[in-house]
Amino acid sequence: MKVLLVGNGGREHALARAMVRTSDDVELLVQAGNPGLDELGVPHRFNPLDPVAVCALAADEAVDLVVVGPEAPLVAGVADAVTDAGIPCFGPTQAAAQLEASKSFAKDVMEAAAVATARAFTCTTLEQVDAALDELGAPHVVKDDALAAGKGVVVTEDRQAARDHAAACLARPDGAVVIEDYLDGPEVSLFCLSDGANVVPLVPAQDFKRLLDANEGPNTGGMGAYTPLPWLPEGVVEHVVDTVALPTVAEMARRGTPFVGLLYCGLALTSRGVRVVEFNARFGDPETQAVLERLDSPLVDLLYGAATGTLDEVPAPRWSADAAVCVVMASAGYPGTLRTGETITGIEDAEALEGVHVIHAGTTLIPAQPDPKGAGNCCGVEPEDTLVNSGGRVLNVVGRGSTVEVAREAAYAAVARIRFSGEQHRSDIATWPGDILADHWRP
């Protein structure tokens, strides 16, 4: 199968690696610019936000499937253009992608589908914000009602900080903000593949959104993830499919906007039951890096089945009993003003460890410059290209092992071998308190 993969971040590198690893007959075309991703397929330079350009490339190359990784191309209508051209596309239409693009739209869908979620108010003025903060109380949960690359949410006891974030969201043209109840309990990420009618869940994972250990510091796009979750009770996945994913997919179909692609269910296991924290319309990052490491059956078959409405004909995914842990290495200043251009070393040494691979999320390869005088190297050694950091989240270091503890040890041993100036990472990924589910979700 010939596949065009749109997007070139860490999630897309992980998707490409999984497609190649689990199938012998996949030919990949990838979006150029990610040094790790470029090695797994034929790189092409194109604008991922231009539906016409993506569609033209897919048609010219006669691909069998287009897989859209990030949310922004989906909201830009890439899936619409591709499917209109008769090419199967894994990823929802622009209308269906509103499940992620608009928090208020997602709340409307959940209400119509009787999906349990936090009580919320959509606000377009500061007066409405103040009333909502008063009504719901602290901790305050304030969400930008627009795409924000996973960083549009503030959870705080500080009312002024909550109000300031709301004001910043409202300052945008047509800005709106969602204020909602705080959901207690541990969070779980569950990816559900959908062909518009059928749903196939993948294995659950947990990610770590805060920048610092012990869940301190600002929200980020995600600083690490792991799977499986030894503390998760049996029956949670089936419960979520029956009460969240299937009703949501049915409601989207009822509205005439079938959801095809990946429905990311961000969940809280609260003392009142399972509640939806958020929906995303694509694979989560960095959970994808851990989840797909455990997949033992062909990923491309599942993606193609979803894209073509034949998901019910694809064998259920098979999973390794191993655990996988992903640790994010980020640039200095992340998630704020970044310091980039720092030389990265040690990746080869890290990947020499058993069970370890490194996903590129925000790196750039700078070609070696020839000697302007033409003198060459005195030792006869050609200069090498230089790998530097070029984004906020730079590398996703994945460890795999027989247990979460073994996988975690491998991941952190690899992190210790990689260097770049200003690098920051959490040291507590894949740890959890022993009483994490005390007084919380019950089947």
Side-chain angles (χ1 to χ4, degrees):
M1 186 173 293
K2 195 172 186 180
V3 180
L4 170 61
L5 178 59
V6 178
N8 63 358
R11 166 185 44 235
E12 289 73 44
H13 186 185
L15 283 165
R17 183 178 185 276
M19 281 190 272
V20 171
R21 181 180 63 81
T22 60
S23 298
D24 295 326
D25 57 351
V26 173
E27 180 183 349
L28 274 181
L29 283 67
V30 301
Q31 183 183 331
N34 179 321
L37 179 59
D38 287 349
E39 295 181 356
L40 296 175
V42 179
H44 289 262
R45 295 199 176 278
F46 59 92
N47 180 0
L49 302 181
D50 183 345
V52 174
V54 175
C55 191
L57 176 60
D60 290 346
E61 295 291 336
V63 303
D64 302 296
L65 174 67
V66 174
V67 176
V68 183
E71 60 273 26
L74 296 170
V75 175
V78 165
D80 303 69
V82 171
T83 54
D84 285 349
I87 303 169
C89 182
F90 181 84
T93 61
Q94 186 178 51
Q98 290 300 302
L99 272 179
E100 176 169 2
S102 171
K103 299 294 188 295
S104 57
F105 175 82
K107 290 289 187 182
D108 287 343
V109 170
M110 283 186 268
E111 182 177 3
V115 171
T117 186
R119 188 166 61 119
F121 298 95
T122 299
C123 306
T124 57
T125 68
L126 277 176
E127 290 76 18
Q128 293 173 340
V129 168
D130 287 332
L133 294 175
D134 289 340
E135 172 71 18
L136 298 177
H140 305 294
V141 181
V142 184
K143 298 182 176 181
D144 193 348
D145 189 33
L147 291 180
K151 298 187 287 293
V153 181
V154 165
V155 181
T156 180
E157 296 276 356
D158 185 335
R159 181 189 175 95
Q160 190 57 49
R163 196 174 190 273
D164 290 345
H165 180 63
C169 298
L170 295 178
R172 292 182 293 98
D174 301 319
V177 67
V178 174
I179 314 291
E180 66 179 42
D181 256 334
Y182 174 76
L183 297 175
D184 63 332
E187 293 191 9
V188 174
S189 299
L190 183 66
F191 299 163
C192 293
L193 302 172
S194 170
D195 63 3
N198 302 289
V199 167
V200 173
L202 305 188
V203 292
Q206 186 177 57
D207 76 334
F208 292 68
K209 286 293 189 187
R210 299 284 188 170
L211 178 68
L212 305 176
D213 287 2
N215 292 323
E216 299 289 339
N219 255 10
T220 72
M223 295 300 292
Y226 71 104
T227 179
L229 310 181
W231 47 266
L232 190 68
E234 291 186 10
V236 172
V237 171
E238 293 78 7
H239 177 78
V240 172
V241 169
D242 290 342
T243 64
V244 176
L246 280 171
T248 299
V249 167
E251 172 61 18
M252 293 297 287
R254 187 193 69 79
R255 293 175 177 225
T257 53
F259 188 94
V260 173
L262 194 291
L263 179 64
Y264 169 119
C265 301
L267 311 163
L269 276 58
T270 79
S271 54
R272 301 181 303 280
V274 175
R275 297 290 185 269
V276 174
V277 177
E278 65 175 351
F279 284 139
N280 288 331
R282 39 71 189 179
F283 279 94
D285 186 346
E287 299 100 315
T288 299
Q289 288 82 320
V291 168
L292 293 185
E293 177 60 18
R294 296 182 55 210
L295 183 63
D296 280 346
S297 52
L299 174 61
V300 72
D301 290 356
L302 290 164
L303 304 182
Y304 188 78
T308 57
T310 59
L311 195 54
D312 58 336
E313 301 174 14
V314 181
R318 301 188 309 274
W319 301 99
S320 166
D322 283 351
V325 174
C326 173
V327 178
V328 172
M329 303 180 73
S331 295
Y334 180 76
T337 303
L338 307 177
R339 193 172 88 215
T340 58
E342 304 291 349
T343 299
I344 303 169
T345 61
I347 292 179
E348 187 174 340
D349 289 342
E351 292 193 315
L353 294 170
E354 183 178 357
V356 169
H357 69 273
V358 178
I359 295 292
H360 290 250
T363 67
T364 297
L365 198 62
I366 299 178
Q369 298 299 313
D371 188 330
K373 298 180 180 179
N377 188 290
C378 65
C379 303
V381 178
E382 292 295 327
E384 296 183 349
D385 298 340
T386 303
L387 186 71
V388 300
N389 68 317
S390 56
R393 293 183 292 173
V394 180
L395 299 170
N396 311 143
V397 181
V398 181
R400 178 171 173 167
S402 57
T403 66
V404 171
E405 291 77 13
V406 172
R408 182 177 185 274
E409 183 178 343
Y412 276 108
V415 167
R417 295 189 177 193
I418 300 173
R419 296 280 188 274
F420 58 93
S421 179
E423 181 271 328
Q424 54 178 334
H425 65 270
R426 283 182 61 155
S427 65
D428 63 348
I429 303 301
T431 61
W432 62 90
D435 62 348
I436 191 167
L437 280 179
D439 299 323
H440 283 93
W441 186 82
R442 292 171 175 76

